[in-house]
Amino acid sequence: MGSLQLEDFAAGWIGGAASVIVGHPLDTVKTRLQAGVGYGNTLSCIRMVYRRESVFGFFKGMSFPLASIAVYNSVVFGVFSNTQRFLSQHRCREPEASPPRTLSDLLLASMVAGVVSVGLGGPVDLIKIRLQMQTQPFQDGGEHRVTVFPGPHLCM
């Protein structure tokens, strides 16, 4: 049983990391367009981000979600499976028998996992969006660089 949980954790981290790496550039464009900073349309936004910040501008704010995805996925999947197991065992009351899963167990376990997901995902998303919106370059020895780390205004 312990081995299965470790495999689920690893699979959740790999799947979550892949989704962040693939989806983050489009999420950055979406976030910039939603902010209404004069990008016009999607293609205009893509061109402007690339021109001003190079390809790295599309990956702003990705480090935090990438680092937190392992914890996030393991907690959400753990809450889901443990809630579902608890409900099945509580309903069955036979410890040796493998309790059947019902649709109501699945629905309730999904709802509990969803509440936990929102509680964990909200702060992560807030930090990610603030990092994605950092567009002001600073000068360091004549070079233009763009900050990608949270500043003091992100402390909660």
Side-chain angles (χ1 to χ4, degrees), residues 62-87:
M62 188 175 81
S63 58
F64 186 72
L66 195 57
S68 63
I69 198 74
V71 174
Y72 174 82
N73 277 356
S74 66
V75 169
V76 170
F77 285 108
V79 165
F80 171 78
S81 62
N82 286 318
T83 302
Q84 195 174 29
R85 189 178 308 113
F86 172 79
L87 292 170

PDB file of all heavy atoms in Angstrom, residues 62-87:
ATOM      1  N   MET A  62       6.737  30.729 -13.517  1.00  0.00           N
ATOM      2  CA  MET A  62       6.554  29.286 -13.610  1.00  0.00           C
ATOM      3  C   MET A  62       7.262  28.533 -12.491  1.00  0.00           C
ATOM      4  O   MET A  62       6.830  27.447 -12.108  1.00  0.00           O
ATOM      5  CB  MET A  62       7.053  28.766 -14.958  1.00  0.00           C
ATOM      6  CG  MET A  62       6.712  27.313 -15.173  1.00  0.00           C
ATOM      7  SD  MET A  62       7.151  26.708 -16.799  1.00  0.00           S
ATOM      8  CE  MET A  62       8.875  26.384 -16.576  1.00  0.00           C
ATOM      9  N   SER A  63       8.308  29.098 -11.930  1.00  0.00           N
ATOM     10  CA  SER A  63       9.092  28.359 -10.935  1.00  0.00           C
ATOM     11  C   SER A  63       8.269  28.004  -9.698  1.00  0.00           C
ATOM     12  O   SER A  63       8.359  26.886  -9.188  1.00  0.00           O
ATOM     13  CB  SER A  63      10.335  29.154 -10.537  1.00  0.00           C
ATOM     14  OG  SER A  63       9.965  30.412 -10.018  1.00  0.00           O
ATOM     15  N   PHE A  64       7.450  28.919  -9.231  1.00  0.00           N
ATOM     16  CA  PHE A  64       6.661  28.650  -8.031  1.00  0.00           C
ATOM     17  C   PHE A  64       5.613  27.560  -8.258  1.00  0.00           C
ATOM     18  O   PHE A  64       5.538  26.601  -7.481  1.00  0.00           O
ATOM     19  CB  PHE A  64       6.035  29.934  -7.503  1.00  0.00           C
ATOM     20  CG  PHE A  64       5.337  29.745  -6.192  1.00  0.00           C
ATOM     21  CD1 PHE A  64       6.049  29.534  -5.028  1.00  0.00           C
ATOM     22  CD2 PHE A  64       3.954  29.749  -6.128  1.00  0.00           C
ATOM     23  CE1 PHE A  64       5.408  29.341  -3.819  1.00  0.00           C
ATOM     24  CE2 PHE A  64       3.298  29.559  -4.926  1.00  0.00           C
ATOM     25  CZ  PHE A  64       4.030  29.358  -3.767  1.00  0.00           C
ATOM     26  N   PRO A  65       4.784  27.625  -9.314  1.00  0.00           N
ATOM     27  CA  PRO A  65       3.838  26.534  -9.544  1.00  0.00           C
ATOM     28  C   PRO A  65       4.530  25.196  -9.802  1.00  0.00           C
ATOM     29  O   PRO A  65       4.052  24.154  -9.372  1.00  0.00           O
ATOM     30  CB  PRO A  65       3.047  26.970 -10.774  1.00  0.00           C
ATOM     31  CG  PRO A  65       3.223  28.420 -10.862  1.00  0.00           C
ATOM     32  CD  PRO A  65       4.565  28.729 -10.256  1.00  0.00           C
ATOM     33  N   LEU A  66       5.667  25.231 -10.480  1.00  0.00           N
ATOM     34  CA  LEU A  66       6.397  23.997 -10.759  1.00  0.00           C
ATOM     35  C   LEU A  66       6.909  23.366  -9.468  1.00  0.00           C
ATOM     36  O   LEU A  66       6.818  22.153  -9.285  1.00  0.00           O
ATOM     37  CB  LEU A  66       7.558  24.283 -11.714  1.00  0.00           C
ATOM     38  CG  LEU A  66       8.215  23.108 -12.400  1.00  0.00           C
ATOM     39  CD1 LEU A  66       7.196  22.300 -13.189  1.00  0.00           C
ATOM     40  CD2 LEU A  66       9.310  23.607 -13.327  1.00  0.00           C
ATOM     41  N   ALA A  67       7.401  24.194  -8.579  1.00  0.00           N
ATOM     42  CA  ALA A  67       7.910  23.679  -7.305  1.00  0.00           C
ATOM     43  C   ALA A  67       6.780  23.218  -6.390  1.00  0.00           C
ATOM     44  O   ALA A  67       6.947  22.273  -5.610  1.00  0.00           O
ATOM     45  CB  ALA A  67       8.738  24.753  -6.601  1.00  0.00           C
ATOM     46  N   SER A  68       5.643  23.859  -6.464  1.00  0.00           N
ATOM     47  CA  SER A  68       4.556  23.530  -5.541  1.00  0.00           C
ATOM     48  C   SER A  68       3.621  22.443  -6.061  1.00  0.00           C
ATOM     49  O   SER A  68       2.791  21.937  -5.309  1.00  0.00           O
ATOM     50  CB  SER A  68       3.746  24.787  -5.232  1.00  0.00           C
ATOM     51  OG  SER A  68       3.145  25.289  -6.402  1.00  0.00           O
ATOM     52  N   ILE A  69       3.763  22.049  -7.322  1.00  0.00           N
ATOM     53  CA  ILE A  69       2.829  21.091  -7.906  1.00  0.00           C
ATOM     54  C   ILE A  69       2.917  19.725  -7.230  1.00  0.00           C
ATOM     55  O   ILE A  69       1.913  19.026  -7.105  1.00  0.00           O
ATOM     56  CB  ILE A  69       3.021  20.975  -9.440  1.00  0.00           C
ATOM     57  CG1 ILE A  69       1.791  20.333 -10.088  1.00  0.00           C
ATOM     58  CG2 ILE A  69       4.268  20.211  -9.802  1.00  0.00           C
ATOM     59  CD1 ILE A  69       0.607  21.228 -10.155  1.00  0.00           C
ATOM     60  N   ALA A  70       4.097  19.325  -6.766  1.00  0.00           N
ATOM     61  CA  ALA A  70       4.241  18.022  -6.106  1.00  0.00           C
ATOM     62  C   ALA A  70       3.426  17.979  -4.818  1.00  0.00           C
ATOM     63  O   ALA A  70       2.680  17.029  -4.566  1.00  0.00           O
ATOM     64  CB  ALA A  70       5.709  17.735  -5.820  1.00  0.00           C
ATOM     65  N   VAL A  71       3.559  19.008  -4.008  1.00  0.00           N
ATOM     66  CA  VAL A  71       2.810  19.071  -2.754  1.00  0.00           C
ATOM     67  C   VAL A  71       1.318  19.169  -3.040  1.00  0.00           C
ATOM     68  O   VAL A  71       0.505  18.450  -2.454  1.00  0.00           O
ATOM     69  CB  VAL A  71       3.291  20.264  -1.897  1.00  0.00           C
ATOM     70  CG1 VAL A  71       2.432  20.422  -0.663  1.00  0.00           C
ATOM     71  CG2 VAL A  71       4.748  20.093  -1.526  1.00  0.00           C
ATOM     72  N   TYR A  72       0.958  20.037  -3.965  1.00  0.00           N
ATOM     73  CA  TYR A  72      -0.446  20.251  -4.313  1.00  0.00           C
ATOM     74  C   TYR A  72      -1.108  18.951  -4.771  1.00  0.00           C
ATOM     75  O   TYR A  72      -2.152  18.552  -4.254  1.00  0.00           O
ATOM     76  CB  TYR A  72      -0.535  21.321  -5.407  1.00  0.00           C
ATOM     77  CG  TYR A  72      -1.913  21.547  -5.952  1.00  0.00           C
ATOM     78  CD1 TYR A  72      -2.820  22.351  -5.293  1.00  0.00           C
ATOM     79  CD2 TYR A  72      -2.311  20.946  -7.141  1.00  0.00           C
ATOM     80  CE1 TYR A  72      -4.095  22.568  -5.790  1.00  0.00           C
ATOM     81  CE2 TYR A  72      -3.585  21.153  -7.643  1.00  0.00           C
ATOM     82  CZ  TYR A  72      -4.465  21.965  -6.963  1.00  0.00           C
ATOM     83  OH  TYR A  72      -5.712  22.165  -7.460  1.00  0.00           O
ATOM     84  N   ASN A  73      -0.507  18.283  -5.765  1.00  0.00           N
ATOM     85  CA  ASN A  73      -1.098  17.051  -6.286  1.00  0.00           C
ATOM     86  C   ASN A  73      -1.165  15.958  -5.235  1.00  0.00           C
ATOM     87  O   ASN A  73      -2.158  15.244  -5.145  1.00  0.00           O
ATOM     88  CB  ASN A  73      -0.323  16.547  -7.498  1.00  0.00           C
ATOM     89  CG  ASN A  73      -0.740  17.229  -8.774  1.00  0.00           C
ATOM     90  OD1 ASN A  73      -1.662  18.030  -8.787  1.00  0.00           O
ATOM     91  ND2 ASN A  73      -0.068  16.927  -9.854  1.00  0.00           N
ATOM     92  N   SER A  74      -0.116  15.807  -4.439  1.00  0.00           N
ATOM     93  CA  SER A  74      -0.127  14.738  -3.446  1.00  0.00           C
ATOM     94  C   SER A  74      -1.211  14.983  -2.394  1.00  0.00           C
ATOM     95  O   SER A  74      -1.894  14.048  -1.984  1.00  0.00           O
ATOM     96  CB  SER A  74       1.237  14.588  -2.786  1.00  0.00           C
ATOM     97  OG  SER A  74       1.560  15.726  -2.025  1.00  0.00           O
ATOM     98  N   VAL A  75      -1.382  16.230  -1.976  1.00  0.00           N
ATOM     99  CA  VAL A  75      -2.411  16.529  -0.977  1.00  0.00           C
ATOM    100  C   VAL A  75      -3.809  16.313  -1.562  1.00  0.00           C
ATOM    101  O   VAL A  75      -4.665  15.659  -0.944  1.00  0.00           O
ATOM    102  CB  VAL A  75      -2.262  17.968  -0.431  1.00  0.00           C
ATOM    103  CG1 VAL A  75      -3.469  18.374   0.392  1.00  0.00           C
ATOM    104  CG2 VAL A  75      -0.994  18.085   0.396  1.00  0.00           C
ATOM    105  N   VAL A  76      -4.054  16.818  -2.754  1.00  0.00           N
ATOM    106  CA  VAL A  76      -5.387  16.695  -3.356  1.00  0.00           C
ATOM    107  C   VAL A  76      -5.727  15.227  -3.623  1.00  0.00           C
ATOM    108  O   VAL A  76      -6.811  14.760  -3.267  1.00  0.00           O
ATOM    109  CB  VAL A  76      -5.497  17.536  -4.642  1.00  0.00           C
ATOM    110  CG1 VAL A  76      -6.775  17.228  -5.404  1.00  0.00           C
ATOM    111  CG2 VAL A  76      -5.440  19.017  -4.301  1.00  0.00           C
ATOM    112  N   PHE A  77      -4.792  14.482  -4.220  1.00  0.00           N
ATOM    113  CA  PHE A  77      -5.061  13.071  -4.487  1.00  0.00           C
ATOM    114  C   PHE A  77      -5.142  12.273  -3.197  1.00  0.00           C
ATOM    115  O   PHE A  77      -5.948  11.348  -3.080  1.00  0.00           O
ATOM    116  CB  PHE A  77      -4.013  12.479  -5.426  1.00  0.00           C
ATOM    117  CG  PHE A  77      -4.205  12.909  -6.857  1.00  0.00           C
ATOM    118  CD1 PHE A  77      -3.336  13.812  -7.442  1.00  0.00           C
ATOM    119  CD2 PHE A  77      -5.264  12.414  -7.600  1.00  0.00           C
ATOM    120  CE1 PHE A  77      -3.512  14.212  -8.749  1.00  0.00           C
ATOM    121  CE2 PHE A  77      -5.454  12.819  -8.909  1.00  0.00           C
ATOM    122  CZ  PHE A  77      -4.575  13.712  -9.482  1.00  0.00           C
ATOM    123  N   GLY A  78      -4.317  12.618  -2.210  1.00  0.00           N
ATOM    124  CA  GLY A  78      -4.383  11.940  -0.917  1.00  0.00           C
ATOM    125  C   GLY A  78      -5.700  12.177  -0.211  1.00  0.00           C
ATOM    126  O   GLY A  78      -6.301  11.258   0.351  1.00  0.00           O
ATOM    127  N   VAL A  79      -6.167  13.419  -0.223  1.00  0.00           N
ATOM    128  CA  VAL A  79      -7.462  13.743   0.396  1.00  0.00           C
ATOM    129  C   VAL A  79      -8.584  12.991  -0.312  1.00  0.00           C
ATOM    130  O   VAL A  79      -9.458  12.404   0.327  1.00  0.00           O
ATOM    131  CB  VAL A  79      -7.725  15.267   0.382  1.00  0.00           C
ATOM    132  CG1 VAL A  79      -9.175  15.584   0.682  1.00  0.00           C
ATOM    133  CG2 VAL A  79      -6.813  15.961   1.371  1.00  0.00           C
ATOM    134  N   PHE A  80      -8.540  12.972  -1.632  1.00  0.00           N
ATOM    135  CA  PHE A  80      -9.575  12.272  -2.396  1.00  0.00           C
ATOM    136  C   PHE A  80      -9.608  10.785  -2.049  1.00  0.00           C
ATOM    137  O   PHE A  80     -10.654  10.237  -1.695  1.00  0.00           O
ATOM    138  CB  PHE A  80      -9.355  12.453  -3.894  1.00  0.00           C
ATOM    139  CG  PHE A  80     -10.257  11.594  -4.736  1.00  0.00           C
ATOM    140  CD1 PHE A  80     -11.580  11.947  -4.933  1.00  0.00           C
ATOM    141  CD2 PHE A  80      -9.784  10.429  -5.318  1.00  0.00           C
ATOM    142  CE1 PHE A  80     -12.425  11.150  -5.694  1.00  0.00           C
ATOM    143  CE2 PHE A  80     -10.617   9.633  -6.075  1.00  0.00           C
ATOM    144  CZ  PHE A  80     -11.934   9.994  -6.269  1.00  0.00           C
ATOM    145  N   SER A  81      -8.453  10.115  -2.136  1.00  0.00           N
ATOM    146  CA  SER A  81      -8.445   8.664  -1.916  1.00  0.00           C
ATOM    147  C   SER A  81      -8.745   8.316  -0.460  1.00  0.00           C
ATOM    148  O   SER A  81      -9.465   7.349  -0.185  1.00  0.00           O
ATOM    149  CB  SER A  81      -7.115   8.048  -2.360  1.00  0.00           C
ATOM    150  OG  SER A  81      -6.055   8.570  -1.601  1.00  0.00           O
ATOM    151  N   ASN A  82      -8.225   9.094   0.483  1.00  0.00           N
ATOM    152  CA  ASN A  82      -8.504   8.804   1.889  1.00  0.00           C
ATOM    153  C   ASN A  82      -9.965   9.079   2.243  1.00  0.00           C
ATOM    154  O   ASN A  82     -10.561   8.348   3.029  1.00  0.00           O
ATOM    155  CB  ASN A  82      -7.576   9.599   2.803  1.00  0.00           C
ATOM    156  CG  ASN A  82      -6.172   9.028   2.793  1.00  0.00           C
ATOM    157  OD1 ASN A  82      -5.992   7.821   2.822  1.00  0.00           O
ATOM    158  ND2 ASN A  82      -5.175   9.903   2.740  1.00  0.00           N
ATOM    159  N   THR A  83     -10.549  10.118   1.683  1.00  0.00           N
ATOM    160  CA  THR A  83     -11.969  10.390   1.926  1.00  0.00           C
ATOM    161  C   THR A  83     -12.824   9.273   1.343  1.00  0.00           C
ATOM    162  O   THR A  83     -13.759   8.786   1.994  1.00  0.00           O
ATOM    163  CB  THR A  83     -12.382  11.744   1.314  1.00  0.00           C
ATOM    164  OG1 THR A  83     -11.574  12.773   1.877  1.00  0.00           O
ATOM    165  CG2 THR A  83     -13.850  12.048   1.570  1.00  0.00           C
ATOM    166  N   GLN A  84     -12.493   8.865   0.139  1.00  0.00           N
ATOM    167  CA  GLN A  84     -13.249   7.790  -0.497  1.00  0.00           C
ATOM    168  C   GLN A  84     -13.109   6.483   0.299  1.00  0.00           C
ATOM    169  O   GLN A  84     -14.096   5.783   0.524  1.00  0.00           O
ATOM    170  CB  GLN A  84     -12.775   7.595  -1.933  1.00  0.00           C
ATOM    171  CG  GLN A  84     -13.717   6.772  -2.762  1.00  0.00           C
ATOM    172  CD  GLN A  84     -13.294   6.717  -4.211  1.00  0.00           C
ATOM    173  OE1 GLN A  84     -12.115   6.815  -4.540  1.00  0.00           O
ATOM    174  NE2 GLN A  84     -14.257   6.560  -5.101  1.00  0.00           N
ATOM    175  N   ARG A  85     -11.904   6.188   0.756  1.00  0.00           N
ATOM    176  CA  ARG A  85     -11.670   4.981   1.565  1.00  0.00           C
ATOM    177  C   ARG A  85     -12.447   5.069   2.885  1.00  0.00           C
ATOM    178  O   ARG A  85     -13.084   4.108   3.301  1.00  0.00           O
ATOM    179  CB  ARG A  85     -10.180   4.813   1.838  1.00  0.00           C
ATOM    180  CG  ARG A  85      -9.823   3.498   2.486  1.00  0.00           C
ATOM    181  CD  ARG A  85      -8.312   3.322   2.715  1.00  0.00           C
ATOM    182  NE  ARG A  85      -7.535   3.549   1.507  1.00  0.00           N
ATOM    183  CZ  ARG A  85      -6.691   4.582   1.336  1.00  0.00           C
ATOM    184  NH1 ARG A  85      -6.502   5.466   2.295  1.00  0.00           N
ATOM    185  NH2 ARG A  85      -6.026   4.724   0.219  1.00  0.00           N
ATOM    186  N   PHE A  86     -12.402   6.227   3.541  1.00  0.00           N
ATOM    187  CA  PHE A  86     -13.119   6.416   4.797  1.00  0.00           C
ATOM    188  C   PHE A  86     -14.626   6.210   4.616  1.00  0.00           C
ATOM    189  O   PHE A  86     -15.271   5.526   5.405  1.00  0.00           O
ATOM    190  CB  PHE A  86     -12.840   7.810   5.363  1.00  0.00           C
ATOM    191  CG  PHE A  86     -13.684   8.167   6.551  1.00  0.00           C
ATOM    192  CD1 PHE A  86     -13.360   7.680   7.810  1.00  0.00           C
ATOM    193  CD2 PHE A  86     -14.804   8.969   6.408  1.00  0.00           C
ATOM    194  CE1 PHE A  86     -14.140   8.000   8.914  1.00  0.00           C
ATOM    195  CE2 PHE A  86     -15.592   9.286   7.502  1.00  0.00           C
ATOM    196  CZ  PHE A  86     -15.263   8.803   8.763  1.00  0.00           C
ATOM    197  N   LEU A  87     -15.176   6.810   3.574  1.00  0.00           N
ATOM    198  CA  LEU A  87     -16.613   6.685   3.325  1.00  0.00           C
ATOM    199  C   LEU A  87     -17.008   5.232   3.046  1.00  0.00           C
ATOM    200  O   LEU A  87     -18.018   4.744   3.547  1.00  0.00           O
ATOM    201  CB  LEU A  87     -17.037   7.573   2.159  1.00  0.00           C
ATOM    202  CG  LEU A  87     -16.961   9.077   2.415  1.00  0.00           C
ATOM    203  CD1 LEU A  87     -17.171   9.843   1.117  1.00  0.00           C
ATOM    204  CD2 LEU A  87     -17.953   9.493   3.474  1.00  0.00           C
TER     205      LEU A  87
END
